[in-house]
Amino acid sequence: MSYSKTIVLTNYDGETFVVDEVVAVEPQTIEHMIEDGCANTSIPLPNVTSKILSKVIEHCKKHVETPNSNEKAAKADLKSFDFDFVKADQGTLFDLILAMNYLNIKELLDLIYQTVADMIKGKTPEEEEEMRRVNAWVFSCFVGVTCLYFKSKKM
Amino acid sequence: MDKLPKQPTTMEKLPEELLSDILIRLPAKRLAQFRCVSKPMNALLSQPSFIKSHLHRSIHNNDEMFMVFYSELCLDGEIPIIAHPSHSPVIENPNFINLPASLTIPPGYTHSSILGSLNGLICFALWPTDTVSDRDPIICIWNPSLNALRILPPYTIPASLGFEGIDLHIRFGYDPETDDYKVVKFSRLFQRPVTAFESLSYFKEWLQVEVYSMRKGSWKLINDRFPSHVGWISDFADLSIIGSDGHDGHIHWLCGLNGKITKHAIVAFDLATETFGEIPLPDSIPQYKMDQTKLLGHLSGNLCVMSYMEDGDIEVWVMNEYGMAESWVKHHVFSQFSGNIVPLGFILNKEFLLHDDKNRLALYDQIAAKVNSLEVIANSRFGFDRVKIVSYVDSLVWIAPAN
């Protein structure tokens, strides 16, 4: 597999990331866009901040670079990478959930869900009260992060 | 494009389906608290589909446990109900559930018994003191995780004509067709007080069967009767494991039929059609022997029976096609091990629970073919009753009665 081709990703803040194609196609959403030929110049990822996008790219790189073998050491290494990867605050994890869901990277979602659930489980009532206050629970604004933007671009 | 700095994402900004994926991993007790947080949260957590997925995940994620009642339900709460997680059954969790605070025990009621446990609901009965014969047992359905308790209304046919004088059977089951939980109650009277040895011939016929629907919130008398040729029923009074034989909308009883040579059969109650049927036991299991024990249960969703003879092999038979007598298959045979090991029955949908020679509970490891003792005492710690064991899974299941 050659690393010759690169893909340009543009994020929420307008920053661009140049990524090897093999890394960029790790997320299914991007792979489909490339297949559909609508990513010849730059792929816009309007929902993703640079912090999250670099984390996602870091994740994809690691998973592409780790040899796809049944070797125990490689598997364990990837696992410990994933565990370190989800060591983040709740806000970051929520952003990651949105980004991973949007980019269709399913394998890590399970681990992130569990991490957030464990965080909630481990919270004391005081902390929960604080979380309740901060979040204010306005559910009317369920922001469905859909592919609307992409769809309008494609059409 | 809008270049406003992005606000930190909070939980409520997650789309509902992603939020469900997180919440589904939380215990029901915690989710019950979350319901108080906001109306949309309450709506999401009360969706039948969410409740089902939560239950499903708990079951398939090996979050089930078994509960040990050392003194039935100890009504003064002094003897805790001990939970053992299925993935590490040695762990004792005595405070996992507590008796509902809203349960006030009426005067004259002194003891209780577990009638079943299904999808996070525990059904139990409060019994009046033996000397008080003008009161009926009170039946309750309880979700310990939600701290929800339903005290069932009185039934039509009294069960209180003196305990020596009545043979009463109450069971709890789930009907997937109507997504309803039902209590089935039937009884028969003794003709006159008799000794245990001659009791079989002195029963009168079975009285009409009553079924309580949790969804309807009421009892009704049904037309079908319990098979009249049944002489005795092995039920919650005789068994250690309660309610493990409910299966796919049916309740099962292991019965002895009337006749000169006692024959055994399984009587099934279909909770959807509310009718009784009979299922024969595997032909090669001895029909009746003094030292034989038979136990019903289910393994991976199939009805099964365990048969063992004192000092003999323990055989486990599985009915692969429900109701088809020819589909009985001998699933497992294990011989008595060193020491006295007594099978108690099936638990957690796949395990065999045993009583080892050191008075401990034990699970049989089917792959390694050995008994793993659990350091859990298998007798009542207080000597007067057999310990009762149920499978339990933490769930949000609750049905409010129709108005």
Side-chain angles (χ1 to χ4, degrees), chain A residues 37-49:
Chain A
C38 57
N40 286 332
T41 49
S42 137
I43 298 177
L45 301 171
N47 304 312
V48 188
T49 61

Side-chain angles (χ1 to χ4, degrees), chain B residues 146-180:
Chain B
L146 300 180
N147 201 15
L149 180 76
R150 168 98 53 94
I151 297 169
L152 273 50
Y155 26 79
T156 317
I157 300 170
S160 56
L161 296 149
F163 282 113
E164 291 89 349
I166 193 154
D167 179 23
L168 174 66
H169 298 272
I170 310 167
R171 290 283 291 275
F172 181 56
Y174 173 62
D175 172 20
E177 265 180 53
T178 52
D179 190 24
D180 195 3

Side-chain angles (χ1 to χ4, degrees), chain A residues 18-107:
Chain A
V18 182
V19 187
D20 291 324
E21 191 183 355
V22 279
V23 174
V25 297
E26 196 45 22
Q28 278 182 21
T29 305
I30 296 182
E31 188 186 5
H32 291 157
M33 289 178 65
I34 295 170
E35 280 169 8
D36 294 350
C38 57
N40 286 332
T41 49
S42 137
I43 298 177
L45 301 171
N47 304 312
V48 188
T49 61
S50 38
K51 179 182 161 200
I52 298 301
L53 187 56
S54 33
K55 250 183 117 60
V56 171
I57 292 170
E58 181 196 347
H59 173 261
C60 294
K61 258 193 186 149
K62 180 74 185 176
H63 277 249
V64 167
E65 284 163 8
T66 306
N68 191 12
S69 72
N70 282 328
E71 213 183 299
K72 254 192 179 165
K75 272 190 170 171
D77 175 48
L78 209 57
K79 209 172 174 185
S80 81
F81 171 83
D82 284 349
F83 272 102
D84 286 339
F85 188 78
V86 296
K87 274 183 198 153
D89 60 274
Q90 260 189 30
T92 308
L93 288 176
F94 291 147
D95 281 331
L96 273 173
I97 289 174
L98 290 174
M100 295 284 185
N101 181 60
Y102 171 58
L103 295 169
N104 215 351
I105 308 175
K106 295 286 182 212
E107 70 265 31

